[in-house]
Amino acid sequence: MSDYVLILEDSKTQAQIVGGLFEKCGLVADYAHDIDSARKKLKQKGYSLIILDVFVGEDNTLDHLPKLRKLAPNTPVAIMTAGRRNQPLAASQALNQARRAKVDFLLPKPFILEDIRQVVEEASYIRQHKRQFVKVLIIDDDTTTRMIYRNYLENEGFFISESATVEEALGRLDITRVDLVLTDLVMEGIGGLAGIRIISSTWPDVPIIAMTGYIQDGDTLQSAVQKGAAMALAKPFGREELLEAVHKCLPTPEESTTYFL
């Protein structure tokens, strides 16, 4: 049985280009060029993935997303965006709007096959687990540290994404669907403190755990909390300390309004 992707894009040429990339990743592309035709197709057929351009004609597709989701409640949704790949820090408004709409992925233009493949693979994971998982984003410039924390959390059933810098994290395709952020404070780029300020102001419902080994003056971790971190941990710390912090910061399924669906 074929897996279908529905692409809502008013440019037929652009739609065919995007569809061709998804077909290289094993999906069969189907097209809609306006909101009404997208609704009709969703009523007629089940889709593994929905790809939406932000603006179709005079319509903002995010305004129509709740109705589209009612027709395909368990189907992951990706929004195509322009100008985000090289300017992730300038896109907080778009990111916030996409998160409020519960979009699963942002797919920045120009499209590359690696991005499409990642979206297809993670969309399959979402469907298989029926959204019953918690996603943790780890931001740390040390590869070994990320691997250790990933192993701790994956062994407890968390789904993990990781990035080496805040800028890289904000450019991730799946940045709109994160339940908790674990970030180092001292790293290349804008660093963890600025990252906490951006993430907490853009998504105030996403708890952030700050971590650092640089605490000579005793104020670094306190500064992280003041800028929006829910908790702060001094490195090194072990598995039990990390898990205790994560569980303290996460909402219960009854309290959550995001991904405990």
Side-chain angles (χ1 to χ4, degrees), residues 33-34 73 76 94 100 130 155 172 174 181 208 223 229 244-245 250:
H33 304 297
D34 56 58
R100 288 199 305 268
K130 299 180 180 179
N155 288 338
R172 289 189 59 85
D174 57 354
V181 175
I208 303 169
S223 296
E244 180 180 1
L250 285 172

Side-chain angles (χ1 to χ4, degrees), residues 138-146 149 182-187 209-215 221 232-238 241:
I138 301 172
I139 309 174
D140 197 302
D141 57 359
D142 185 82
T143 303
T144 301
T145 297
R146 294 200 309 271
Y149 298 155
L182 178 66
T183 183
D184 194 23
L185 297 179
V186 181
M187 51 188 156
I209 299 175
M211 55 183 180
T212 187
Y214 295 88
I215 54 172
L221 294 178
L233 297 175
K235 293 180 178 178
F237 52 82
E241 188 175 359

Side-chain angles (χ1 to χ4, degrees), residues 9-37:
E9 163 66 74
D10 53 2
S11 167
K12 294 183 179 180
T13 300
Q14 185 69 30
Q16 291 288 340
I17 292 172
V18 176
L21 291 172
F22 277 99
E23 290 187 339
K24 287 183 179 180
C25 296
L27 300 186
V28 177
D30 199 358
Y31 304 99
H33 304 297
D34 56 58
I35 296 294
D36 287 340
S37 60

Side-chain angles (χ1 to χ4, degrees), residues 9-11 14 18 52-55 79-86 106-112 115 173:
E9 163 66 74
D10 53 2
S11 167
Q14 185 69 30
V18 176
L52 307 177
D53 197 12
V54 177
F55 294 103
I79 288 286
M80 296 185 284
T81 64
R84 182 173 174 274
R85 185 182 302 280
N86 297 323
L106 292 184
L107 190 56
K109 301 174 182 178
F111 306 112
I112 59 177
D115 286 351
L173 305 179

